[in-house]
Amino acid sequence: AAGTLCDIGHALLEEDRAKEGLACFRRALGPRLEFLGPHHPEVALAIKDIAQVFLDKGDSRRAALYLERALSIEVAAYGEEAMHVAEANSKFLLATALEDLGHSQRARTLFRSAAAVFSLRLGHDHPYTIGAVEGSEQSSKGALAALDYGGDAEED
């Protein structure tokens, strides 16, 4: 049932019906929490679906909160140095949110970590790898621009 709700949620997002898609993702999270527990990777996947809606809506702060939780579940499940694509995807999405929030240094670190996993698991020419490498380069430019103006690259 939870998988079906996620499928419906994704279909609704494709139709630009984010509010309804978000409701489906939230409803899908409940059974996963109940039957798998709060630390299961499938729970992290459901949390990432919710975060993606917030990213798409431009609410990077809220997305980052969900993505931090998803990533912590995956790190606990797979390990800190895991070369797992799901964990790399969480790092990429979190880096995207953090970059939007002006946290360039941490975003760059996460983009680089994601790029390494994507490159190893999916190949150098895969769109995920390319996106993570480009994200890292953009974060570097953002950090340098902040230094040029005497500002802070981030507020961590």
Side-chain angles (χ1 to χ4, degrees):
T4 302
L5 282 170
C6 287
D7 291 341
I8 292 169
H10 287 286
L12 289 167
L13 291 182
E14 288 178 20
E15 296 177 7
D16 291 326
R17 296 168 61 186
K19 186 175 182 179
E20 294 162 286
L22 179 60
C24 284
F25 294 141
R26 285 184 168 153
R27 283 197 311 265
L29 180 59
R32 288 179 179 175
L33 283 167
E34 182 179 347
F35 295 110
L36 301 173
H39 306 293
H40 194 280
E42 284 293 318
V43 171
L45 184 62
I47 291 170
K48 280 194 283 191
D49 284 336
I50 293 168
Q52 186 66 57
V53 173
F54 290 118
L55 268 179
D56 291 347
K57 291 171 58 176
D59 190 345
S60 296
R61 184 192 62 76
R62 203 179 241 171
L65 293 173
Y66 281 96
L67 291 164
E68 290 280 9
R69 177 67 183 134
L71 182 58
S72 72
I73 292 168
E74 291 167 342
V75 167
Y78 305 128
E80 186 70 42
E81 298 300 319
M83 299 299 273
H84 200 283
V85 172
E87 189 176 325
N89 181 258
S90 292
K91 289 178 179 180
F92 176 83
L93 293 172
L94 179 55
T96 301
L98 292 173
E99 181 67 24
D100 289 346
L101 294 169
H103 302 289
S104 298
Q105 185 174 1
R106 180 148 183 248
R108 184 174 55 256
T109 300
L110 291 168
F111 277 131
R112 286 181 179 164
S113 178
V117 173
F118 291 151
S119 179
L120 178 70
R121 299 289 187 204
L122 305 175
H124 298 299
D125 296 329
H126 193 279
Y128 286 10
T129 305
I130 294 167
V133 169
E134 289 175 355
S136 175
E137 291 169 356
Q138 284 301 111
S139 291
S140 294
K141 290 177 185 174
L144 289 174
L147 291 174
D148 286 344
Y149 293 106
D152 292 327
E154 62 178 316
E155 298 173 10
D156 286 345

